[in-house]
Amino acid sequence: DFLRHVAPRTRRLRAIAIPGEAVSLPASAIADAARASGVPDVAEATSVEAAIRGLAPDAEAGVPILICGSLYLCGTVLAESG
């Protein structure tokens, strides 16, 4: 349901499962939901690093990157990206 509101403003999405969290949705389920919501460029990433690397051209062009998920995911992203 969340993606329905975000999708119209989203060009690219990289889906990952929360590392180390057994109850996390699989990346494939997140990617499928994003596609169904109309996000044009969706891919699964195997790690936080891979997801960030997939969005790097946008970040370098000044396009904001929004991290969505639990605080566990946000903490992992911040810890791994410095």
Side-chain angles (χ1 to χ4, degrees):
D1 214 28
F2 170 79
L3 286 169
R4 182 172 49 94
H5 300 286
V6 176
R9 295 170 188 83
T10 304
R11 290 189 279 184
R12 197 175 328 276
L13 184 139
R14 296 300 174 258
I16 65 167
I18 301 171
E21 291 296 318
V23 297
S24 174
L25 286 174
S28 60
I30 298 165
D32 289 345
R35 288 183 193 101
S37 295
V39 177
D41 179 0
V42 177
E44 296 172 38
T46 57
S47 67
V48 169
E49 180 185 352
I52 291 171
R53 202 175 32 239
L55 299 171
D58 288 334
E60 292 167 2
V63 176
I65 294 175
L66 175 64
I67 300 167
C68 299
S70 71
L71 290 176
Y72 294 109
L73 176 61
C74 294
T76 299
V77 171
L78 291 172
E80 291 187 18
S81 67

